[in-house]
Amino acid sequence: MVVLRDGTKRFSEIRNAIDGVSERMLTQTLQNLEQDGMLIRKSYHTVPPHVDYTLTPYGEQAAEKIYHLVDWLEENLEAILAESPKE
């Protein structure tokens, strides 16, 4: 969702922006987000297929919250790891 904060993207653009995600996992996640009303999937009947993904207003709100959480985690990761119990 954070990747889509900057606007509409194609599947390949989303995949390239997220390190280590498989196509299957990304497809499932995008389908779930669409079902949950967080994004809109627009399919164009072209060859090759062209599909755009855009956040809905709720998706935009959620993506903004997630962005700030990720930012906070990155800023505090070292301290969080230092406080976590060791096995």
Side-chain angles (χ1 to χ4, degrees):
M1 289 178 67
V2 172
V3 171
L4 291 171
R5 283 179 63 235
D6 297 329
T8 300
K9 300 239 185 315
R10 295 180 71 173
F11 183 89
S12 60
E13 293 174 301
I14 298 169
R15 187 185 66 231
N16 291 337
I18 303 171
D19 290 331
V21 68
S22 69
E23 286 193 26
R24 182 174 181 214
M25 179 56 68
L26 180 56
T27 298
Q28 289 175 341
T29 300
L30 291 170
Q31 288 172 345
N32 290 337
L33 290 170
E34 181 183 17
Q35 290 172 355
D36 292 341
M38 295 291 158
L39 62 80
I40 297 167
R41 179 184 186 272
K42 185 172 182 182
S43 180
Y44 300 89
H45 299 290
T46 60
V47 177
H50 177 109
V51 179
D52 287 337
Y53 296 91
T54 306
L55 292 173
T56 65
Y58 283 122
E60 289 174 4
Q61 291 175 29
E64 196 63 29
K65 304 265 186 218
I66 292 167
Y67 174 80
H68 289 294
L69 175 61
V70 169
D71 189 46
W72 179 85
L73 286 169
E74 287 177 350
E75 288 176 8
N76 293 285
L77 184 59
E78 191 174 314
I80 292 168
L81 293 175
E83 293 290 325
S84 64
K86 308 292 185 247
E87 292 183 27

